[in-house]
Amino acid sequence: AGDTFNVIHYGAVGNGQTDDSQSFLKAWEDVCGASEGTPTLEIPNGMTFMLSPVAFEGPCKANSVHVLLQGTIVAPSRDAWNGKNEWIQFAEINGLMIDGGGQIDGQGSSWWQDCKSNCERPTALHINDCHASRLTGIKHLNSAKNHISISGCSDFYISDLEITAPGESPNTDGIDISRSSAITIEKSIIGTGDDCIAINGGTSNIKITQVTCGPGHGISVGSLGEDGKYDTVEDVYVGGCTFKGCQNGARIKTWAGGAGYARKITFEDITLEDSRHPIIIDQFYSSHDGTQGPSKGSNVAVSDVTYRNVHGTSADDEAIIFNCAEESCKNIVLDQIDITLSVPGKDAQAVCKNAEGTATSTVPSVTCLSN
């Protein structure tokens, strides 16, 4: 137990029009300064709070802090942004718990139309340098850019989220993880215009289970090695997930000319429904504007990648794609794979370049892996 600090008592109006961010920050100051039990920031049900870009920063005095989000938080119109890259930020708070069944609405549509790539769109919820923390039971919708980004965190548990944006909305990733370790994501539904979950550099020990993804670009490791960067990802487990109508399924993407490694990655018990490129390693990932990166292969070494019990339908003839640079994809294991095309009468294909490993009970057959 601990004291509860309701934003209403700090002057928040909750009519969806008035900027309530100063009231939230005043309440946060008291929450973060409370030392007994687990203090709670209460955002009440049945009300809509408009917040301009706001940062809730620690360290706090208590060992854990509870954010009870029951109402709705909405973003301001685009002209209120002042060039901020993040909308709602939590930083340097250990034992942060965010729950309550409320929602975070990024009001992103005006951004998507006008600036596909050339303007700095903000991340909706950015959680930075928070350890032993939880984010559960919140709805996230229509972010201007990615919905949630987790960076510099460890021992972080995420479950029962619903993240929604139109399939054609640009770069609206569900959850992006970078420079973090010991992250668990489970029992969530993510449908956006980009990666449902993206696992970026400096990340290890990630477990993702029972996530339904679609629309979107699948669950991706990467992209890694952009602009020659050294990036590492290891110990990733993705299990019991479903891809519905996605552009990709289980994806690893690295840039040509980058460095580092992606290793010890398992995709297991995956169900596919009408998804393009259900299994893909692309080491020649290039920028979105269609210009190719350097033509030499990526030096991000990909190894110890297992795909086990992956079944369902592909929307594209090329159901399995291993497009690897020379010497860069080692110990790729396919076991009990059964992918057919959603359009009957044609056979699914595998494209296989420079991958080494084994394929057992795999349809379509993968020529460059030994049976």
Side-chain angles (χ1 to χ4, degrees):
D3 290 342
T4 295
F5 302 86
N6 190 322
V7 294
I8 298 296
H9 303 156
Y10 291 81
V13 181
N15 62 4
Q17 315 281 304
T18 309
D19 185 346
D20 284 325
S21 39
Q22 289 312 309
S23 305
F24 273 61
L25 286 172
K26 278 188 205 135
W28 175 254
E29 211 171 294
D30 285 355
V31 168
C32 201
S35 53
E36 288 180 18
T38 299
T40 298
L41 177 72
E42 185 179 359
I43 303 157
N45 200 356
M47 303 178 88
T48 300
F49 301 91
M50 196 266 278
L51 299 184
S52 50
V54 64
F56 300 102
E57 292 174 327
C60 297
K61 285 195 174 160
N63 291 330
S64 60
V65 176
H66 184 197
V67 176
L68 182 65
L69 171 58
Q70 295 177 312
T72 296
I73 294 176
V74 296
S77 62
R78 259 182 65 189
D79 46 25
W81 276 101
N82 328 322
K84 288 275 200 308
N85 283 340
E86 282 107 22
W87 171 30
I88 299 167
Q89 177 165 229
F90 288 90
E92 294 184 52
I93 304 150
N94 292 342
L96 172 67
M97 297 184 291
I98 304 174
D99 58 32
Q103 70 176 17
I104 296 174
D105 181 352
Q107 308 267 18
S109 58
S110 62
W111 294 84
W112 306 329
Q113 287 147 10
D114 301 346
C115 51
K116 289 280 191 282
S117 58
N118 57 3
C119 63
E120 286 293 318
R121 292 175 283 140
T123 296
L125 176 62
H126 184 74
I127 299 177
N128 188 42
D129 198 12
C130 295
H131 306 281
S133 296
R134 302 167 67 87
L135 169 64
T136 57
I138 304 291
K139 286 191 172 71
H140 302 255
L141 53 152
N142 297 338
S143 177
K145 201 174 70 172
N146 49 330
H147 286 76
I148 299 169
S149 98
I150 307 283
S151 72
C153 296
S154 64
D155 187 14
F156 205 113
Y157 175 78
I158 296 170
S159 82
D160 298 285
L161 299 189
E162 204 174 302
I163 306 176
T164 315
E168 62 281 2
S169 58
N171 306 115
T172 52
D173 301 36
I175 303 171
D176 286 347
I177 307 167
S178 58
R179 298 182 300 101
S180 296
S181 64
I183 311 291
T184 298
I185 301 173
E186 64 180 29
K187 300 184 191 121
S188 294
I189 297 169
I190 305 174
T192 67
D194 209 312
D195 294 327
C196 291
I197 300 171
I199 300 159
N200 295 306
T203 298
S204 62
N205 191 5
I206 306 297
K207 188 175 182 195
I208 299 168
T209 56
Q210 291 174 271
V211 169
T212 298
C213 170
H217 295 185
I219 293 178
S220 296
V221 172
S223 60
L224 306 177
E226 186 174 355
D227 298 330
K229 214 161 91 198
Y230 182 90
D231 274 331
T232 66
V233 170
E234 68 184 320
D235 292 314
V236 175
Y237 178 85
V238 178
C241 293
T242 300
F243 295 103
K244 293 183 177 182
C246 293
Q247 287 198 28
N248 306 282
R251 174 160 73 155
I252 298 172
K253 48 180 175 168
T254 69
W255 287 71
Y261 56 79
R263 64 191 184 202
K264 300 183 195 161
I265 297 164
T266 299
F267 294 96
E268 187 170 51
D269 302 331
I270 304 295
T271 303
L272 305 162
E273 296 178 18
D274 197 30
S275 289
R276 295 173 58 202
H277 313 316
I279 292 176
I280 177 167
I281 298 176
D282 180 7
Q283 290 209 297
F284 299 90
Y285 188 73
S286 61
S287 54
H288 295 292
D289 57 11
T291 55
Q292 292 293 326
S295 58
K296 69 184 170 77
S298 161
N299 309 329
V300 179
V302 174
S303 65
D304 306 325
V305 182
T306 300
Y307 304 88
R308 185 180 292 113
N309 189 22
V310 178
H311 57 90
T313 55
S314 171
D316 194 283
D317 295 2
E318 298 181 349
I320 298 175
I321 299 175
F322 295 135
N323 186 13
C324 297
E326 284 178 40
E327 303 282 303
S328 288
C329 292
K330 298 268 175 71
N331 193 25
I332 308 301
V333 176
L334 293 170
D335 182 19
Q336 300 171 64
I337 310 297
D338 185 6
I339 304 174
T340 54
L341 291 189
S342 22
V343 182
K346 289 174 80 177
D347 289 334
Q349 309 289 322
V351 174
C352 200
K353 183 177 157 195
N354 294 327
E356 291 175 21
T358 60
T360 316
S361 309
T362 293
V363 178
S365 63
V366 182
T367 50
C368 65
L369 302 182
S370 52
N371 286 311

